[in-house]
Amino acid sequence: MEYPPPRLSVYLTHFLSTLANLTLSEKNLTNGEKKVKVFTQPHYLHNFVQSTFNALSAEKVKGSTLVVSGDGRYYSKDAIQIIIKMAAANGARRVWVGQNGLLSTPAVSAVVRERVGADGSKANGAFILTASHNPGGPNEDFGIKYNMENGGPAPEGITDKIFENTKTIKEYFIAEGLPDVDISAIGISNFSGPDGQFDVDVFDSSSDYVKLMKSIFDFQSIKKLITSPQFSFCYDALHGVAGAYAKRIFVEELGAEESSLLNCVPKEDFGGGHPDPNLTYAKELVARMGLGKNPDSNPPEFGAAADGDADRNMVLGKRFFVTPSDSVAIIAANAVQSIPYFSSGLKGVARSMPTSAALDVVAKSLNLKFFEVPTGWKFFGNLMDAGLCSVCGEESFGTGSDHIREKDGIWAVLAWLSILAYKNRDNLDGGNLVTVEDIVKQHWATYGRHYYTRYDYENVDAGAAKELMAHLVKLQSSISDVNTTIKEIRSDVANVASADEFEYKDPVDGSISKNQGIRYLFEDGSRLVFRLSGTGSEGATIRLYIEQYEKDSSKTGRDSQDTLAPLVEVALKLSKMQVFTGRSAPTVIT
């Protein structure tokens, strides 16, 4: 659609900023997550967008192609129109928008990397409008982040510049005369912009992503599994943006019944729910899969859920939960045989430091390059750009590969379906089905089991939290004293072999990330990890990760909490958790 040719005016808006109203805290900057009422303050969103353009430099923005879309949460549609007008005023050549403003975070990465416009254009970067797995609505969360031309999150060098810019910005550019674009209708709108022609291309949200998935996986093999009378399937999008892909992929491409989709209509408020794919918030799926307080009596063989922006995933079997740490290890162990994209082998694997060491054992057994990185997907992206990593994951329900530079929830589900299809390639005409539980237990029998849990202590007094961490660092000066203390607490717990504060030197760019968590590594492969996050005015969150490795296959089927109880006792007493925090129990146990 072509608009009348009058040249647009560029308005230079001056304002004096107050740090309280207009700067984003450094902690929140990368994902730009705050309440909607913060983003709707005068100039707030504009400030972030202009600060981003300034950090990228006028030369890079001029003539560029930018993607602007997100998970569809409340305020997204207004934000898209603002960013379009600001892109025009800053000299961008075109903006690409997913229909209705919807693109999952992994799909944005795919579009930046793979899509070619009708005029041959390629994207230079993207504004993603999401607050991930947090709730949406007028009184809930909104967020914005910028991804680079590789499809991955902006590196610290850029986010630091954006943050500094938000402190000093006094003006922004916006083409106020530009009419709002109808983002519900696919098509290209042409304008005469301040720097010449300016286009807004509204395109189908799912086509590019589906095309990429079909190039990675054997859809015919997965379809044979899904349409088999022996197999049943359930997918819950939690009313997030994954719903924009679920019907197209699972129903239209793979033959699943439409009734197998739960909550797959994207909603601005996620249906009033919390779009976080875990056993607490995905209650309907959990019950459908035969788990939880009111389980269904005849659950499907396979179930999965996504978060708001579809980059996280939870995988379930019939009455069986797969931990994210096990999930990435199992995908890595089976990828070469089960997924065509990996048929020539894996370049390497990586996990975030707090994630269990299940992946380490697979890497060692298969002689793969292995990397342990700080929490944050950009660290995986660096390894992938250098050709060092194929599959990676983190304990917070994020799994992915080098097909894009974000974690990818639907990719993880298709990976699991591929493994199930491969394991059952000779069973779908009447043999016994190899189940999710069978695959996990066979993995434990081969590689051992990493019993794992996470304790979160939220809104702890920031000073007390820092004292606790300092106490743990001080203890590390004498491992022999630590072992003496541990034996006094529990004689059945192994000795600590080493302890440190995790520090990461990026093998690609040489950058060093310090103070990434406190680790106690035991002689039997068990671990205790303590991390601190959010030391703001509302207090801090202490995350305690407890992991016990069991190689004896006769002991890999025990109850997780019972098995971990001795190590939990050691962790709480060694850290003096109750003494420092006043808490007798964690806020959340995962």
Side-chain angles (χ1 to χ4, degrees), residues 348-567:
V349 295
R351 64 165 172 84
S352 65
M353 186 273 282
T355 302
S356 97
L359 185 62
D360 313 34
V361 181
V362 171
K364 188 174 182 181
S365 174
L366 300 182
N367 197 26
L368 296 171
K369 287 190 186 79
F370 168 78
F371 302 91
E372 181 180 30
V373 307
T375 299
W377 210 259
K378 59 181 176 284
F379 297 105
F380 295 131
N382 261 12
L383 295 171
M384 290 172 180
D385 284 345
L388 296 172
C389 177
S390 295
V391 171
C392 57
E394 55 191 18
E395 49 77 33
S396 52
F397 297 88
T399 326
S401 94
D402 62 350
H403 67 290
I404 55 171
R405 296 297 180 267
E406 290 278 6
K407 46 186 175 271
D408 191 343
I410 290 177
W411 174 91
V413 172
L414 291 171
W416 265 94
L417 290 171
S418 297
I419 294 166
L420 283 161
Y422 177 77
K423 299 279 189 185
N424 288 289
R425 62 195 182 283
D426 300 322
N427 301 338
L428 297 178
D429 298 320
N432 289 328
L433 195 75
V434 177
T435 66
V436 170
E437 184 174 355
D438 292 336
I439 289 169
V440 175
K441 289 187 172 177
Q442 182 55 53
H443 184 89
W444 293 341
T446 304
Y447 297 102
R449 181 179 179 184
H450 292 258
Y451 289 95
Y452 186 85
T453 191
R454 185 177 103 185
Y455 282 27
D456 288 2
Y457 295 81
E458 297 174 356
N459 293 323
V460 172
D461 176 79
K466 287 175 183 175
E467 285 177 17
L468 180 145
M469 299 298 276
H471 162 71
L472 287 165
V473 170
K474 188 177 179 183
L475 285 179
Q476 294 181 346
S477 61
S478 174
I479 298 299
S480 61
D481 288 351
V482 167
N483 285 325
T484 300
T485 303
I486 288 172
K487 292 304 178 193
E488 289 170 356
I489 300 168
R490 293 288 302 222
S491 60
D492 53 348
V493 169
N495 279 332
V496 170
S498 63
D500 63 10
E501 240 184 313
F502 182 58
E503 181 175 296
Y504 178 67
K505 182 175 181 180
D506 194 304
V508 179
D509 62 19
S511 61
I512 295 173
S513 302
K514 297 186 176 184
N515 305 317
Q516 296 295 313
I518 294 167
R519 302 187 299 177
Y520 286 84
L521 311 177
F522 291 75
E523 289 175 353
D524 64 352
S526 300
R527 296 192 312 160
L528 294 178
V529 174
F530 299 81
R531 288 181 66 238
L532 195 57
S533 64
T535 54
S537 58
E538 293 182 9
T541 295
I542 298 169
R543 301 194 200 282
L544 164 60
Y545 307 83
I546 302 153
E547 172 183 356
Q548 181 160 324
Y549 181 49
E550 181 55 72
K551 282 189 286 190
D552 185 343
S553 59
S554 68
K555 296 179 180 178
T556 55
R558 297 163 62 196
D559 177 79
S560 184
Q561 294 303 323
D562 289 348
T563 302
L564 290 167
L567 207 51

Side-chain angles (χ1 to χ4, degrees), residues 10-13 50 54 85-87 89-90 171-175:
V10 180
Y11 292 85
L12 193 61
T13 305
Q50 189 64 54
N54 293 349
K85 292 175 172 65
M86 292 188 67
N90 279 275
E171 60 191 23
Y172 61 77
F173 298 89
I174 183 163

